[in-house]
Amino acid sequence: MKYLISLFFIAIMTTSLSAQNKIAFEVSFSEPQAHYVDVAMEISGLKGAYVDLKMPVWTPGSYLIREFAKNVESFEAFSTTGSALNAGKINKNTWRVNTQNNGRIKVTYRVYSFEISVRTSFVDESHAFLSPTGIFMYPDGQLNSASTITIIPYKNWTKISTGLELTGSKANTFIAPDFDVLYDSPFEIGNQDVFEFDAAGVKHEVAMYGGGNYDKEILKRDMTKIVVEQTKTFGVNPNKRYVFIVHNFNSGGGGLEHLNSTVLGASRNSYNTEAGRLRFLGLVSHEYFHLWNVKRLRPIALGPFNYDEENYTTNLWIAEGFTAYYQDIYTKRAGLQSPERYVMNLANSISLVENQPGNRVDPVSQASFDAWIKQYRPNENSANSTISYYSKGALIALIMDLEIINSTAGKSGLDEVMKAMYDEYFVKKSKGYTDAEFKAMTEKIAGKSFDAMYADYINGVKTIDYNKYLNYAGLTLIDDAAAGNDAYLGAITSLKDGKIVVTNISRQSPAWTGGLNVNDEILAMDDQRINNVSDPRLSEVEKFIANKRAGDKIRVLVNRDGRLMNIDIVLVRNPNHKFRIAAIETANPSQIAVRKRWLKIN
């Protein structure tokens, strides 16, 4: 992808417009209450008997084929005189227009937009959020073409927030130097609450939709701290302007990175709690760090993009996992959370990964490659068969960071690896990196081989020796559940239509080996009726198991597809971990030095 520093200089973009086919979009909203976007597309400079117009099937940063073309309706094409041109689909995401040798044509279509997420478009009478990959078509083979986008807001809508720059020649008209940039520039249109702050030499716009109990001045202060800390790592901020589009819902979350903007989901009434504030700032930190890691420093498969199909990489554990690691590192460095809280959350993250059976089945590199079929399509067996490249990748970043700091006596850490990779592959070579190149740079800075780490923890499923790395920093990982003897079934249930139904079976658990199935309705245990009472703290099944001991045999009566079955199960000791990280009282000066370098504390 072409991420030029001169991206937003109007003169350069105007030149690129004149050198290629001229493309102009006009976006309006005749029926926002019905969730439609009206798109008109004019193309001039055409040659030949036809042109194929394509809509992407996925959006960068979200690795799933979403088939955006399914939302397109009423596709029509016209000549400059207004006469209809023959047009129709030739495959799932391509429309062929018979131009009749017209050099200029107009195409109109509508897009149904009613999916709330950071990666899909949503329109109603209050606002429009446009995720460009699901709105704008491109002429086949013309991804390099520039375009203008004119927004006609609905009735009383008064504001447009986007990372694109205005042309200056027409109201509400923006310019994109190519389709990669257009597809990386979402729009928020309506009456959003907009405020600004300057940080690291960059003007930042925050566009808040949906209201909320946020304090603008506090957000400005805290977001500034994150921007400043992240910019320190790379020594440069690649933008002159950046836009946060924030959608506040009753219960919201998630984010998607873009070239000079991001879209965040948040819970509107959680800003005034410590947990809610840190959750939002962690999301800000995560998506902002993507400015460097992914949007510029990227695995080689992630750009230039093929918008027609999957773009496979084994390195999402770096692209997303390292970003997940740094999101909390930076909130700590910015003073938004204490080192103690950071370490406590780190221990919880280790528990989360190590308690997932799929962690012992699926290497994190393979989980990255399979993101297209697994990450966004979890089922009842996902926890048994795969691991998140976000959470496991963050732990790989942790042990790499500690290994580098220790091996270089504090001279370098993962920060230095990320900056060196950015300088070498984005700034100098303008290309993505291979897995081997990232490993080689890590080894160069650490001054040692990472063969074993890659073989065991990245391309393998060996349990991470956390204490090896934490001990470098005078810390130790303690499992508070190790001495317990609680009984364990290994089944998760939920209340569905008044029935207690099994929703998950943990691999190699008593429920797994005993033959309990997902979708079984549990009626009784040891001839005791299990009441369908919903308790958010403890289910009726969990209450029953809590009164048992490891080694006890129980009989479970289930309804399986209308048939009553008794299943005998022998309970075992609960294998799940509950980790915490503690300081080693006898830590030596070298260990203390590593800890201070890692946590950036005096």
Side-chain angles (χ1 to χ4, degrees), residues 52 99 170 184 205 222 251 276 290 330 333 437 509 539:
D52 289 341
T99 63
K170 183 178 179 182
D184 224 2
E205 173 185 327
D222 292 347
S251 179
H290 274 314
Y330 283 116
R333 290 181 186 175
E437 288 168 337
S509 68
S539 74

Side-chain angles (χ1 to χ4, degrees), residues 142-429:
Q142 291 289 313
L143 283 171
N144 291 335
S145 293
S147 62
T148 59
I149 304 92
T150 300
I151 304 293
I152 303 177
Y154 179 69
K155 287 188 177 179
N156 296 322
W157 295 354
T158 60
K159 299 176 183 177
I160 303 172
S161 299
T162 181
L164 293 178
E165 293 296 308
L166 289 163
T167 63
S169 60
K170 183 178 179 182
N172 297 334
T173 298
F174 302 84
I175 191 164
D178 57 49
F179 277 90
D180 282 330
V181 172
L182 175 56
Y183 289 150
D184 224 2
S185 304
F187 291 80
E188 176 64 29
I189 308 160
N191 295 304
Q192 59 270 25
D193 182 17
V194 177
F195 58 92
E196 296 180 339
F197 66 92
D198 293 329
V202 178
K203 182 176 289 295
H204 294 79
E205 173 185 327
V206 183
M208 288 281 198
Y209 166 78
N213 60 2
Y214 54 87
D215 184 309
K216 296 179 188 179
E217 295 308 313
I218 291 176
L219 285 183
K220 289 179 186 179
R221 178 197 69 194
D222 292 347
M223 293 167 78
T224 294
K225 291 178 180 178
I226 292 170
V227 170
V228 169
E229 287 298 326
Q230 293 192 1
T231 304
K232 284 181 184 177
T233 297
F234 295 93
V236 62
N237 195 302
N239 292 313
K240 294 300 180 184
R241 177 173 168 270
Y242 187 91
V243 179
F244 293 93
I245 296 173
V246 185
H247 293 152
N248 292 299
F249 299 107
N250 185 50
S251 179
L256 188 64
E257 70 274 7
H258 294 285
L259 181 63
N260 67 333
S261 63
T262 186
V263 185
L264 309 178
S267 298
R268 64 170 62 94
N269 294 317
S270 66
Y271 289 94
N272 62 348
T273 67
E274 184 178 21
R277 177 180 64 88
L278 282 175
R279 186 164 52 249
F280 177 73
L281 292 174
L283 188 58
V284 168
S285 180
H286 183 104
E287 301 306 333
Y288 202 84
F289 190 70
H290 274 314
L291 274 185
W292 297 274
N293 190 31
V294 173
K295 299 318 300 181
R296 290 161 178 85
L297 171 63
R298 59 176 176 81
I300 197 164
L302 299 184
F305 294 117
N306 179 346
Y307 294 102
D308 277 345
E309 59 186 39
E310 297 86 347
N311 293 222
Y312 293 103
T313 175
T314 58
N315 292 132
L316 293 180
W317 60 273
I318 300 173
E320 291 293 352
F322 279 31
T323 305
Y325 172 68
Y326 271 107
Q327 74 179 46
D328 296 326
I329 284 287
Y330 283 116
T331 57
K332 185 204 64 62
R333 290 181 186 175
L336 303 175
Q337 65 169 324
S338 67
E340 292 77 16
R341 185 185 182 105
Y342 169 75
V343 171
M344 179 187 70
N345 289 335
L346 180 59
N348 292 337
S349 297
I350 294 173
S351 296
L352 178 69
V353 168
E354 294 305 324
N355 287 339
Q356 184 162 328
N359 181 42
R360 294 175 287 280
V361 175
D362 196 24
V364 70
S365 57
Q366 188 63 45
S368 299
F369 190 85
D370 286 336
W372 298 92
I373 57 175
K374 291 186 177 182
Q375 176 68 21
Y376 296 92
R377 289 175 174 157
N379 61 24
E380 67 282 351
N381 196 49
S382 293
N384 292 320
S385 61
T386 190
I387 190 66
S388 166
Y389 48 77
Y390 285 85
S391 54
K392 183 65 174 286
L395 298 182
I396 298 297
L398 165 70
I399 64 174
M400 276 192 172
D401 202 2
L402 289 170
E403 184 65 60
I404 298 165
I405 293 171
N406 184 69
S407 65
T408 63
K411 294 179 181 178
S412 298
L414 193 60
D415 285 9
E416 283 69 27
V417 173
M418 299 304 289
K419 184 181 188 308
M421 288 294 295
Y422 180 85
D423 291 343
E424 180 71 14
Y425 290 95
F426 172 67
V427 176
K428 182 178 178 181
K429 295 183 177 179

Side-chain angles (χ1 to χ4, degrees), residues 30-31 36-39 71-74 108-112:
S30 60
E31 294 183 295
Y36 279 95
V37 180
D38 303 298
V39 182
N71 295 318
V72 175
E73 301 177 13
S74 306
T108 62
Y109 57 92
R110 310 184 80 200
V111 183
Y112 182 70

